[in-house]
Amino acid sequence: MMNPKNRRVKRLVTAIVADLLVLGALLGAFTYFYFLRERDYTPRTLTSPTPAVSAAPEATAAEASTAPTEEAAATPTPAVVDTGLLGGKFAEKFTTGEVEQTETSYKSANVSIDVQQIVAGTPEKPITYYLADIYIKDISSFRTAVALDYKDQNQGDRKNVMSTKQLSQLTGALLAISGDNFAYHQSIAVRNGVEWENKLPVFGDICVLYYDGTMETYPQELKRADVDAIYAKEPYQIWTFGPELLVDGQVPAQFANGKANPLSAIGYYEPGHYCFILVDGRQKGYSWGMTYPELAQVFFDLGCKVAFNLDGGDTAVMTYMGEWRSQPEESSPRDTSDILYIVEPTAASGQ
Amino acid sequence: MKRILSRVLPHLTIILGVMTLVFYVVDGFNAVMAFMASDLSKQVFMVLAVSAIVSSIMLISRQWKEDDRKAKKAAKRLETAELEATEAMFELEELKKSRETGKDE
């Protein structure tokens, strides 16, 4: 017969093991419902001054698996589309019609992209980031792509996420960065004038790009009336992530998270002039990563009026002409639900 | 039902409590994942709160019952002691009386 002390120990161990098993099962269920489950969306086209850009240009499987070659990417003389976004300024940034493409820049009559690798920080803690200076004459050059629109080309198990590189190749993006990964969050998501989700409360700050090329950011504590006001101004893109890196054009005094990480962010100077910044990180000797205050300071020093952080960490990557421009920590970085990308305007590319 | 609840609820409270701690720690590393702020997390916190409140009420109720039982037992013991003391007093009085009667004779 077991003595009372041994019986008590056995009962305690059994209870702990049973509780841990249930805890594991509950955490597993939470992970499934919070991250892995593919949510149902009913995309809805919003009213816009111009017809909304089609969410997914048709792409064949063959196109999907092939990165655009230099010849293919360098579209020969796209038609000139100027809707006056830049108000006739920065003429020197564009060509008169031909395409000039190098390993770090792309210039046509409609789009100008210049990507620079910048090394900052200290020798012990270097920070490498990529700054893409973007000028566009038509807002349809600034687009987003959602992985769910490319289900047929997605060979992964999960159809709501895809590699940024593959998405950039499928869309024929000249330049692309990973987006806000809205499939993982409760958010307001508008992509190319199509509403994917509109749920409050949102999980982070909000960035809105309007059809007139202006960009604004809003804090997380949005009320339904605030969202209605945003919708009344005809949003072209809405991202939910954050934080806002500049508030009223200034670096905020405080940020919630002070750790250095790989980061992906967007900046706005004026309608038609934007920048993407991709900070590599967590790679000893190459790039440590950046904190939010450091990144905000970079945008401030660049002269941006608005700056917004997108999903960082293993998701944060940049491609140029369908190939990696940044150097991801992993050979296959975390898949994302969406990307931001720059292309020739829809009228010029015939989409 | 009550018996099952009283056995299950403390375990549920522990499990959800540990789950909340896990969320708290993960949130410290990566706040943007919103482990402490998502709707699903809020539901977990709500269930934890209900479970904690119900198990606490059951525990308090059991403690009160135990207190009542102890008080009743003590009262009974006191009553018995009082009875015994009364009987002893009576016996003492009887003894005194019989001694006094013996002296007189």
Side-chain angles (χ1 to χ4, degrees):
Chain A
M1 179 140 175
M2 196 181 279
N3 71 43
K5 197 183 170 189
N6 282 350
R7 202 184 306 147
R8 274 202 300 273
V9 170
K10 193 183 171 189
R11 194 165 61 182
L12 180 69
V13 170
T14 312
I16 290 172
V17 170
D19 284 3
L20 284 176
L21 284 174
V22 177
L23 174 68
L26 283 179
L27 285 174
F30 182 90
T31 307
Y32 172 76
F33 282 107
Y34 194 48
F35 292 112
L36 304 178
R37 185 172 55 113
E38 200 176 297
R39 290 192 279 168
D40 293 326
Y41 296 99
T42 44
R44 178 175 73 95
T45 304
L46 301 175
T47 55
S48 62
T50 51
V53 174
S54 63
E58 282 181 19
T60 62
E63 282 169 352
S65 58
T66 316
T69 60
E70 201 167 299
E71 290 78 21
T75 316
T77 60
V80 180
V81 179
D82 188 353
T83 51
L85 208 56
L86 286 165
K89 291 187 285 182
F90 306 108
E92 74 284 2
K93 297 286 178 188
F94 300 93
T95 65
T96 50
E98 71 282 7
V99 171
E100 292 173 12
Q101 186 186 320
T102 69
E103 285 196 349
T104 58
S105 69
Y106 176 93
K107 212 186 258 194
S108 75
N110 309 306
V111 176
S112 170
I113 300 167
D114 183 47
V115 190
Q116 298 293 324
Q117 185 195 53
I118 297 165
V119 179
T122 60
E124 295 79 37
K125 284 187 176 179
I127 300 169
T128 305
Y129 65 95
Y130 296 85
L131 167 65
D133 198 23
I134 302 157
Y135 294 84
I136 52 172
K137 284 186 180 169
D138 187 88
I139 196 67
S140 66
S141 286
F142 193 137
R143 298 178 65 174
T144 45
V146 178
L148 280 171
D149 275 332
Y150 298 88
K151 272 184 173 180
D152 297 341
Q153 288 89 23
N154 192 344
Q155 284 146 11
D157 293 333
R158 292 162 60 201
K159 302 298 178 193
N160 59 345
V161 289
M162 197 186 247
S163 142
T164 295
K165 189 175 170 182
Q166 196 185 353
L167 264 176
S168 71
Q169 290 170 356
L170 285 165
T171 52
L174 303 169
L175 174 79
I177 56 166
S178 45
D180 65 354
N181 236 337
F182 74 90
Y184 291 121
H185 316 119
Q186 182 157 299
S187 63
I188 301 176
V190 174
R191 300 297 133 97
N192 306 322
V194 175
E195 179 195 84
W196 283 78
E197 192 172 32
N198 183 352
K199 281 183 187 161
L200 287 180
V202 287
F203 104 105
D205 294 344
I206 290 214
C207 180
V208 185
L209 176 66
Y210 293 100
Y211 275 100
D212 62 4
T214 56
M215 185 181 282
E216 287 175 2
T217 55
Y218 302 87
Q220 185 179 7
E221 301 79 26
L222 278 180
K223 301 278 180 289
R224 183 50 65 191
D226 302 320
V227 178
D228 291 344
I230 291 170
Y231 271 52
K233 288 162 73 180
E234 295 176 333
Y236 175 52
Q237 315 279 357
I238 300 182
W239 299 279
T240 308
F241 204 92
E244 305 171 271
L245 295 169
L246 297 176
V247 176
D248 298 326
Q250 303 297 315
V251 178
Q254 254 188 331
F255 285 100
N257 191 344
K259 290 175 193 157
N261 277 307
L263 296 171
S264 168
I266 179 176
Y268 162 79
Y269 300 88
E270 61 184 292
H273 187 193
Y274 312 92
C275 67
F276 292 167
I277 289 186
L278 193 290
V279 184
D280 275 332
R282 299 173 186 165
Q283 296 177 67
K284 206 176 170 186
Y286 164 64
S287 186
W288 185 259
M290 243 188 223
T291 61
Y292 292 144
E294 287 168 343
L295 184 58
Q297 192 61 48
V298 171
F299 278 111
F300 180 78
D301 293 343
L302 285 168
C304 288
K305 290 195 181 90
V306 174
F308 189 75
N309 180 63
L310 297 160
D311 192 10
D314 293 340
T315 313
V317 285
M318 177 185 276
T319 67
Y320 175 66
M321 300 299 166
E323 296 299 332
W324 294 127
R325 184 70 187 93
S326 61
Q327 293 179 36
E329 185 187 0
E330 306 288 335
S331 56
S332 47
R334 189 195 292 148
D335 289 349
T336 181
S337 63
D338 57 291
I339 62 167
L340 285 65
Y341 69 100
I342 304 295
V343 280
E344 286 293 336
T346 42
S349 60
Q351 286 171 354
Chain B
M1 181 65 183
K2 199 177 169 187
R3 201 174 158 195
I4 294 170
L5 266 183
S6 69
R7 283 185 177 276
V8 169
L9 277 180
H11 287 281
L12 187 66
T13 309
I14 290 170
I15 290 162
L16 294 177
V18 175
M19 208 168 164
T20 303
L21 282 177
V22 171
F23 290 171
Y24 181 78
V25 171
V26 176
D27 195 68
F29 284 103
N30 194 349
V32 292
M33 299 292 270
F35 273 99
M36 294 296 285
S38 75
D39 276 0
L40 203 54
S41 310
K42 284 175 190 166
Q43 284 170 13
V44 170
F45 303 152
M46 194 267 291
V47 177
L48 169 64
V50 171
S51 165
I53 290 166
V54 174
S55 14
S56 301
I57 289 171
M58 288 172 91
L59 182 67
I60 291 166
S61 151
R62 195 187 296 171
Q63 278 172 349
W64 284 357
K65 272 183 191 164
E66 184 74 8
D67 288 348
D68 287 352
R69 200 178 59 80
K70 275 183 185 166
K72 237 181 232 177
K73 210 174 175 181
K76 204 172 179 182
R77 210 179 298 146
L78 187 68
E79 202 176 302
T80 314
E82 276 176 357
L83 202 67
E84 280 172 2
T86 313
E87 275 173 9
M89 289 286 283
F90 183 75
E91 275 174 22
L92 191 67
E93 286 295 316
E94 288 290 304
L95 197 64
K96 272 183 186 171
K97 271 182 195 170
S98 65
R99 273 186 187 170
E100 277 171 10
T101 317
K103 269 185 189 174
D104 290 346
E105 281 174 359

